[in-house]
Amino acid sequence: MQSSKAFDHLWMPFTSWQDAIDYPPLVIKRASGIHLYDRDDKSYIDGTGSWWVSLFGHGHPRITAAVRKQLEQVEHVMMAGCITEPTLHLTELLASILPGVMSRIFLSDNGSTAVEVALKMALQYHALTGCGNRTRFIALGGGYHGDTLGAMTVGSIPRYHALFHDRFKKALYTDPPYCYRCPCGKEPGSCAAQCMDSLEKLLDEYHSSVAAFIFEPMAQGAVGMRIYPAVVLERCFALCKKFGILTIADEVAMGFGRTGKMFACEHAHVSPDIMCLAKGLTGGYLPLAATVVNKTIFDAFKGDAFSNRTFEHGHTFTGNALASAAACASLELLREYDIPASLGARSSQLSKLLRTFYRYDIVGDVRTLGMVGAIELVADRATKKRLPARERIPFTICRNARAKGLLIRPIGDVIYFMLPYLTTEEQLDRVVAITHEAFKETIDEQLPHQ
Ligand SMILES: Cc1ncc(COP(=O)(O)O)c(C=O)c1O
């Protein structure tokens, strides 16, 4: 067991210095299925799928066996002049489930790099096709695409991006498709994707200098699991088609069945030009990402070593053999468990159970899509006034849930769930029961008049 000094050198992500002291991280010793176990062997349900990656839970025997077997053969080799069997097999397996005309797969190692690759490919594609003046990106308002500098230029969450936008570069942003606080004052029944009038305006003004439009399809995760309707996505695609703009779908968080379709773009029955994948690609075992493009994009890069058409990009661990073996096993499991078709019952249960949270006055909105569930808290349901940030009510709800054996983490005023797909009916009941207890305890402590 570590001494209290053990945390002295650690810098935790997305965590203030004071919180890291006041709330030191749980040290997880082992994991199995949807459960994590700390060093005292106390168990916690992994309610966020370890940052949205754990598709089949922890320690799935098939993925574990695949990684172990690969470890006995070769763990890593540079992907320049060499490739390993699982990496090769992975591209075949992935290609077999990609939508429409997506056919070329460029591997990297995390969601941010998948996005960096996509942005660079779009810029180079235009340079190679005689449109080198196309250098701007348009992004969906409220988007998040990772924390590296390029990915941040297309994100628009002030807390993460404002400082760096001032110092570096930013994209052009549409209105956010934030249905609960619709920027156009529409209700779900009357929505005709009017929020994307803003995209039309930007395209009208800037289309000749735009390299691509980038977006999180159907749900914007990091801004607070904001789910938007397919009509918005359809309008985005239609507008980009009308103005001849490349589309980059960032499916890092929502790909691989999470929204009830294998890829979230399928809700709009359209394939993007470029797609970014990561997180669930390896079932949550190892870092791996893919940027996938259609034939038109790839063809522009064809040429010999002197054609200046080569995509000069790569990461040391690109196509890592262990990660590829995990990804192959995970993609096979998607097929064998018939994901996403088999998720219907669990996602209906999630949707039904989360609606029970409307019994608390602090719940303003409950939204679900496939295996994504979110509850947005407010100070006043009628006015949608935001909670006083300094009272940290969502944070306290999650702390109280953790004490009862459920690990969840708020995003702003949103409590959300990204449970592994193999979560059973009873386990989901348990997740919701603990969350109710945590809500009640927090309201009793912090909002006794409610
Ligand atoms: C939509 C989206 N894109 C990109 C990323 C960045 O992925 P990573 O954290 O693996 O760099 C994330 C991470 O949450 C994401 O949600």
Side-chain angles (χ1 to χ4, degrees):
M1 189 172 294
Q2 282 99 339
S3 69
S4 59
K5 287 243 170 241
F7 293 120
D8 283 359
H9 304 287
L10 189 63
W11 190 338
M12 294 291 286
F14 297 112
T15 306
S16 73
W17 169 76
Q18 190 65 53
D19 275 358
I21 293 169
D22 295 346
Y23 310 103
L26 278 178
V27 179
I28 300 299
K29 208 174 66 179
R30 65 188 180 91
S32 172
I34 70 163
H35 291 98
L36 303 167
Y37 297 85
D38 71 11
R39 48 194 181 189
D40 300 321
D41 227 29
K42 178 171 161 51
S43 79
Y44 303 86
I45 296 173
D46 187 0
T48 62
S50 288
W51 263 342
W52 326 345
V53 299
S54 183
L55 301 191
F56 305 104
H58 299 271
H60 191 288
R62 286 277 296 283
I63 308 181
T64 303
V67 175
R68 189 170 284 146
K69 184 167 168 225
Q70 186 55 40
L71 195 52
E72 284 162 9
Q73 291 165 350
V74 49
E75 75 297 331
H76 181 66
V77 64
M78 70 171 168
M79 202 174 144
C82 306
I83 192 163
T84 61
E85 290 287 354
T87 307
L88 205 49
H89 186 43
L90 165 63
T91 57
E92 262 181 296
L93 279 179
L94 188 53
S96 72
I97 60 164
L98 288 172
V101 291
M102 312 302 290
S103 59
R104 284 286 168 169
I105 299 162
F106 189 96
L107 297 170
S108 62
D109 31 46
N110 60 67
S112 305
T113 57
V115 169
E116 296 286 341
V117 166
L119 301 178
K120 284 178 67 175
M121 278 178 176
L123 291 170
Q124 189 169 340
Y125 168 80
H126 290 303
L128 293 173
T129 53
C131 302
N133 60 321
R134 288 184 175 271
T135 55
R136 290 171 191 257
F137 289 95
I138 301 182
L140 209 52
Y144 176 86
H145 300 284
D147 289 334
T148 51
L149 276 176
M152 284 201 302
T153 65
V154 289
S156 62
I157 303 177
R159 175 172 174 187
Y160 302 140
H161 303 130
L163 176 91
F164 302 98
H165 283 178
D166 285 349
R167 284 156 180 76
F168 195 60
K169 196 177 174 197
K170 61 181 175 182
L172 302 162
Y173 303 101
T174 71
D175 284 344
Y178 183 12
C179 300
Y180 178 55
R181 291 189 168 88
C182 174
C184 306
K186 300 291 168 190
E187 297 294 328
S190 66
C191 168
Q194 287 90 342
C195 56
M196 288 306 113
D197 288 354
S198 56
L199 174 60
E200 186 159 21
K201 235 185 245 159
L202 288 172
L203 288 171
D204 213 21
E205 188 171 350
Y206 298 106
H207 65 274
S208 58
S209 63
V210 170
F213 169 60
I214 182 166
F215 54 95
E216 290 163 88
M218 295 305 291
Q220 295 181 294
V223 75
M225 294 299 156
R226 292 183 190 166
I227 294 162
Y228 60 86
V231 65
V232 172
L233 194 56
E234 285 162 8
R235 185 147 186 235
C236 291
F237 276 115
L239 286 169
C240 288
K241 190 168 176 199
K242 176 176 159 195
F243 286 92
I245 300 298
L246 293 183
T247 49
I248 302 175
D250 180 349
E251 299 247 8
V252 164
M254 297 299 153
F256 301 112
R258 183 56 66 179
T259 67
K261 303 271 185 199
M262 185 58 82
F263 299 102
C265 281
E266 292 171 28
H267 288 273
H269 310 284
V270 187
S271 299
D273 296 294
I274 305 178
M275 189 189 266
C276 306
L277 301 168
K279 290 205 186 269
L281 176 56
T282 62
Y285 267 59
L286 286 154
L288 186 69
T291 305
V292 178
V293 302
N294 63 26
K295 184 170 168 353
T296 311
I297 302 282
F298 182 71
D299 282 353
F301 289 78
K302 284 182 176 168
D304 66 22
F306 301 98
S307 61
N308 281 335
R309 289 184 172 267
T310 307
F311 187 53
E312 300 287 0
H313 187 104
H315 299 275
T316 309
F317 281 99
T318 287
N320 174 261
L322 300 175
S324 298
C328 289
S330 181
L331 292 178
E332 279 159 9
L333 289 177
L334 282 175
R335 192 170 51 212
E336 286 168 34
Y337 286 119
D338 197 16
I339 306 291
S342 64
L343 295 177
R346 201 61 61 246
S347 60
S348 305
Q349 185 194 1
L350 179 68
S351 165
K352 189 168 155 224
L353 288 177
L354 290 201
R355 301 189 72 74
T356 61
F357 285 84
Y358 276 124
R359 75 178 62 149
Y360 308 107
D361 291 341
I362 57 164
V363 171
D365 190 36
V366 170
R367 40 191 185 249
T368 57
L369 177 69
M371 287 297 283
V372 183
I375 303 170
E376 180 156 346
L377 309 180
V378 284
D380 182 335
R381 189 181 286 164
T383 62
K384 301 185 182 176
K385 186 176 162 211
R386 291 180 193 274
L387 287 170
R390 289 198 165 268
E391 289 182 22
R392 306 191 85 181
I393 289 165
F395 180 81
T396 309
I397 290 173
C398 294
R399 292 292 304 176
N400 287 337
R402 175 174 139 172
K404 298 171 200 313
L406 169 65
L407 259 194
I408 45 176
R409 217 183 123 84
I411 305 177
D413 289 341
V414 175
I415 306 284
Y416 72 92
F417 305 90
M418 288 280 247
L419 288 155
Y421 299 159
L422 303 187
T423 303
T424 64
E425 184 179 352
E426 295 70 33
Q427 286 170 333
L428 181 50
D429 283 341
R430 179 87 191 115
V431 165
V432 170
I434 295 177
T435 310
H436 270 300
E437 285 171 32
F439 265 68
K440 282 185 214 138
E441 193 174 325
T442 309
I443 289 169
D444 286 349
E445 281 167 9
Q446 291 193 238
L447 302 159
H449 305 301
Q450 288 229 341

